[in-house]
Amino acid sequence: MYEDKTLQCKDCSADFVFEAGEQQFYAEKGFENEPTRCRDCRNAKKSARRNREMFNVTCDGCGGEATVPFKPTNEKPVYCSECFANQSAN
């Protein structure tokens, strides 16, 4: 049913193969769009997200130290993971 398909990466313009097995995986997961990036560019994008700047803060719930992936402002409280989970549960 599925056949290998050659696509062009939107980041580096290189051709890459969208393999039949990958197409089947996408269909099973309900993904409707084909990949737009080659494997190297997808991995680079994921890596960039993981390496984003983190900020040390004091938790407004327990007063402990926490690290968050955004620059906090004084407009909203900032919580550590445990206090955030407790806030979300309530």
Side-chain angles (χ1 to χ4, degrees), residues 22-89:
E22 290 177 303
Q23 292 176 44
Q24 183 175 354
F25 173 80
Y26 271 54
E28 289 171 358
K29 295 293 182 181
F31 301 150
E32 296 178 5
N33 300 321
E34 296 178 340
T36 58
R37 293 180 176 87
C38 66
R39 187 173 312 276
D40 289 341
C41 288
R42 281 189 303 221
N43 289 340
K45 187 172 172 85
K46 287 178 189 176
S47 180
R49 280 195 305 252
R50 277 186 240 128
N51 292 329
R52 64 183 169 193
E53 186 175 3
M54 300 296 279
F55 298 88
N56 294 322
V57 298
T58 301
C59 175
D60 288 319
C62 67
E65 291 186 21
T67 305
V68 295
F70 57 90
K71 186 171 185 175
T73 64
N74 291 329
E75 295 175 19
K76 295 183 179 181
V78 179
Y79 300 105
C80 65
S81 298
E82 187 175 323
C83 290
F84 181 77
N86 291 337
Q87 290 287 323
S88 296

